[in-house]
Amino acid sequence: MLARRYLYSLARTQITTKQPALATCKLHLRNQPSANTRKMSSSNTRPLCLIPGPTEMSETVLLAHSTPATAHTDPKFVEAFGQVIEMMRDVVVTKTAQPFVIAGSGTLGWDQTAANLLEAGDNALVLSNGYFGEGLADCLETYGANVTRLRAEPGNRQKLAQVAQALRATKYKIVTISQVDTSTGVLGDVKGVAELVREHSPDTLVVVDGVCATAAERLYFDAWGVDVVITASQKALGCPPGVSVVVVSQKALGVLKARKTPVAAYYVNWNRWLPVMQSYEDRAV
């Protein structure tokens, strides 16, 4: 199993949802805080962090991270981490997709996607609405993809007719869209793009960069036909930075299995992480 020692820090909170794609954070604490601790509130003694991310965290989430270090085989940790994996499906509204929850930044999700799903010479269409769309394109090129960048004017998004034309002109392995690009605030039309992919190129994988959007903007993974959602802990999920979260469809895992060349990465290789995620979800660690 790969790097289980990294996992002990990832399941201090449970990610839950009461509405599709609108998440809240629920504590997993081995010990309830004392009455004196509950009276303490940092919100009255420090400035608020009012940037796109990291975002402010609830007092209970902060308290969860003040607990002692926990072994990755501790039954309480195994249960909490198993629930994190299961409940991430609720956040993006999927029944069958596989979440990967590993130590890293949102950018690590780009590397996960590129390393596992692309091989040298594969075509990728990037719908770029700002800085992070350009960064994702650079990442895909690093792994040998032939990248076409379909850009929009700042403050706008691509017209669906433009996307359809691009899909008719070239066969792409993946199409990427930022649901929200932090640099411009543009909301991408994930549903509309996914519908076009199903119509014009059903074998193409739909990859959503949701770092700034997941749990804040609605996304229906199964119903819309999404194959990958890339996100991270420090924005709408309301947790500290340091956790890369990627949710992957069974279709995309099939593409991974059918690769002609080995995955050219170690840490982000889903073939190594998949047994780890499955073991925690089965509570079999």
Side-chain angles (χ1 to χ4, degrees), residues 114-120 254-264 271:
N116 287 281
L117 298 181
L118 291 174
E119 299 180 72
V255 170
L256 169 64
K257 186 176 181 181
R259 289 179 63 97
K260 297 174 183 170
T261 59
V263 175
N271 291 313

Side-chain angles (χ1 to χ4, degrees), residues 109-111 113-114 126 131-141 147 149 174 176-178 207-209 230:
W110 294 353
D111 281 273
T113 302
V126 174
Y131 176 84
F132 291 96
E134 294 298 309
L136 177 52
D138 290 344
C139 178
L140 303 185
E141 288 177 337
V147 176
R149 304 174 192 229
I174 68 172
T176 76
I177 177 173
S178 299
V207 176
V208 178
D209 182 342
I230 300 164

Side-chain angles (χ1 to χ4, degrees), residues 2-242:
L2 172 68
R4 286 196 176 187
R5 64 185 180 274
Y6 290 114
L7 296 178
Y8 79 90
S9 65
L10 304 187
R12 299 291 180 83
T13 58
Q14 297 174 0
I15 301 168
T16 65
T17 180
K18 295 184 179 179
Q19 299 181 55
L22 296 176
T24 58
C25 286
K26 183 172 87 174
L27 249 210
H28 176 80
L29 285 178
R30 291 178 298 175
N31 300 298
Q32 292 296 322
S34 66
N36 289 336
T37 302
R38 285 196 294 267
K39 291 178 181 178
M40 297 174 61
S41 175
S42 59
S43 61
N44 294 327
T45 60
R46 62 169 176 80
L48 293 177
C49 183
L50 298 177
I51 62 174
T55 59
E56 284 292 318
M57 291 165 281
S58 70
E59 202 70 26
T60 51
V61 171
L62 294 173
L63 286 170
H65 282 74
S66 68
T67 58
T70 305
H72 66 276
T73 55
D74 186 304
K76 291 185 174 70
F77 177 88
V78 173
E79 176 62 29
F81 194 68
Q83 289 188 36
V84 166
I85 296 168
E86 293 165 348
M87 292 179 181
M88 273 309 306
R89 294 194 183 95
D90 295 334
V91 173
V92 300
V93 197
T94 180
K95 296 293 186 182
T96 61
Q98 176 62 54
F100 292 90
V101 183
I102 69 176
S105 67
T107 305
L108 189 72
W110 294 353
D111 281 273
Q112 290 188 59
T113 302
N116 287 281
L117 298 181
L118 291 174
E119 299 180 72
D122 284 341
N123 294 323
L125 176 63
V126 174
L127 307 184
S128 178
N129 293 327
Y131 176 84
F132 291 96
E134 294 298 309
L136 177 52
D138 290 344
C139 178
L140 303 185
E141 288 177 337
T142 299
Y143 287 88
N146 297 322
V147 176
T148 299
R149 304 174 192 229
L150 185 57
R151 297 183 174 96
E153 291 296 319
N156 296 287
R157 65 189 186 193
Q158 299 78 7
K159 292 181 171 57
L160 291 178
Q162 294 175 295
V163 180
Q165 182 179 5
L167 291 171
R168 288 192 296 265
T170 304
K171 178 71 172 179
Y172 293 102
K173 183 79 164 289
I174 68 172
V175 172
T176 76
I177 177 173
S178 299
Q179 189 167 19
V180 174
D181 194 300
T182 311
S183 67
T184 59
V186 171
L187 175 65
D189 186 357
V190 175
K191 181 181 180 182
V193 169
E195 288 175 349
L196 287 177
V197 171
R198 288 200 304 272
E199 178 183 353
H200 296 288
S201 187
D203 292 334
T204 298
L205 300 176
V206 177
V207 176
V208 178
D209 182 342
V211 171
C212 190
T214 301
E217 295 292 341
R218 294 185 181 277
L219 186 143
Y220 297 87
F221 193 103
D222 290 348
W224 291 359
V226 173
D227 292 294
V228 178
V229 169
I230 300 164
T231 191
S233 55
Q234 77 275 12
K235 295 200 175 181
L237 292 177
C239 298

